[in-house]
Amino acid sequence: MKQITTGTNTTGIATSPLDSKELIEAARAIPPSSPGSEADAAAVRTEYARGSGTVGSVPPPASLKGMVKAAGELLQGRPPALLIDKLGERLQFERSGTRLYEALIAKYDAEGGFEGGPSRADLEAIRDDELRHFDLLRRAMERLGADPTAMTPAADVIGLASSGVLAVAAEPRINFGQSLQALLVAELTDNDSWRMLIDLAVAYGQDDMAAEFRVAEQHEARHLELVRSWLSSRLALDARGAPTTTTPQRAA
Ligand SMILES: [Fe+2]
Ligand SMILES: [Fe+2]
């Protein structure tokens, strides 16, 4: 396990008291040359927000069967596009979740685990859960005649929001223990988002769908519990300055 150590970090001002004093004096003496203020910047953002288009759209149902369903029993007076949009969002996140755990497994193989942390099999089991959830959503969308390969607007939004999480997992200099923080962000979102999707499915009269999603929600609750305990163990070990490397358990 790569340890967090004290090193030659020069990002802080305290590294060089003489230079920092000079820097502060110069900043005070020379006003910013560019005109404008925070309020001006906010006004530009507001203008862009008003003038910009939307982030994509939900495609119409791909099949005739889907169209009939969308127009009839599914609707219950509600817009089918909303449910399809949110199913697309969850599908996108579960796909990313699978890749997130894949990336963590690669780091595990490089560094090994730690006391109170996950085994390779633990990580594989969650990765497989996420993949099964992805497939569950794919089937749910297909049953409604929707195209699960389409990026819906909500899928775009969550894809962008979770891009940092994936970047942490993929960055080789961020060690396995540090990368667990990204898992916490993902699993917290997973838990809340399944809950909201279940409520939406119920509102749309999709009781069978909601029942399937409740099983996924139970998995997510377990994922969150595990990730929290791994992070706590990791932190406790780091705080003790304990040696943490164990032999990597590579797949056969
Ligand atoms: Fe998930
Ligand atoms: Fe999860």
Side-chain angles (χ1 to χ4, degrees), residues 9-251:
N9 182 336
T10 55
T11 57
I13 197 168
T15 319
S16 178
L18 283 179
D19 289 329
S20 59
K21 189 166 168 277
E22 205 177 315
L23 184 72
I24 292 165
E25 278 166 7
R28 284 201 180 115
I30 307 164
S33 56
S34 55
S37 65
E38 289 92 341
D40 291 337
V44 171
R45 288 198 184 97
T46 304
E47 200 183 315
Y48 270 94
R50 285 202 185 108
S52 298
T54 55
V55 56
S57 61
V58 174
S63 68
L64 186 62
K65 181 173 149 249
M67 268 194 216
V68 171
K69 279 202 166 207
E73 73 206 59
L74 163 68
L75 264 178
Q76 300 200 341
R78 294 181 170 82
L82 174 64
L83 182 58
I84 289 166
D85 189 26
K86 299 304 277 184
L87 287 169
E89 173 195 313
R90 210 80 285 290
L91 179 135
Q92 158 66 24
F93 201 81
E94 295 295 318
R95 176 171 45 216
S96 296
T98 309
R99 289 173 180 160
L100 178 61
Y101 278 90
E102 287 285 2
L104 264 286
I105 289 168
K107 283 186 182 174
Y108 181 93
D109 284 345
E111 295 176 41
F114 56 88
E115 192 191 328
S119 65
R120 196 181 200 279
D122 289 332
L123 296 168
E124 285 169 345
I126 301 186
R127 177 204 54 197
D128 294 347
D129 276 350
E130 307 293 9
L131 186 58
R132 270 192 293 272
H133 295 167
F134 164 81
D135 207 48
L136 174 65
L137 291 152
R138 178 185 65 77
R139 283 183 275 115
M141 290 182 84
E142 283 173 350
R143 279 202 301 272
L144 298 174
D147 178 1
T149 67
M151 281 293 279
T152 68
D156 254 335
V157 172
I158 202 69
L160 184 60
S162 55
S163 58
V165 168
L166 281 172
V168 165
E171 168 57 57
R173 291 169 301 177
I174 297 176
N175 73 26
F176 179 68
Q178 290 170 318
S179 301
L180 293 176
Q181 196 69 44
L183 290 189
L184 182 64
V185 173
E187 294 297 357
L188 284 165
T189 301
D190 248 351
N191 273 263
D192 270 19
S193 303
W194 275 108
R195 203 163 304 134
M196 285 189 272
L197 188 61
I198 290 164
D199 289 347
L200 194 66
V202 169
Y204 272 79
Q206 300 293 307
D207 293 339
D208 290 349
M209 191 189 280
E212 285 185 322
F213 289 178
R214 281 194 191 96
V215 177
E217 188 194 17
Q218 284 167 15
H219 299 155
E220 300 297 1
R222 178 76 184 136
H223 297 174
L224 182 56
E225 199 182 305
L226 285 168
V227 169
R228 278 177 172 151
S229 80
W230 298 338
L231 260 176
S232 299
S233 301
R234 176 74 242 176
L235 198 58
L237 283 172
D238 286 344
R240 288 209 315 258
T244 53
T245 306
T246 61
T247 308
Q249 301 169 15
R250 285 186 182 280

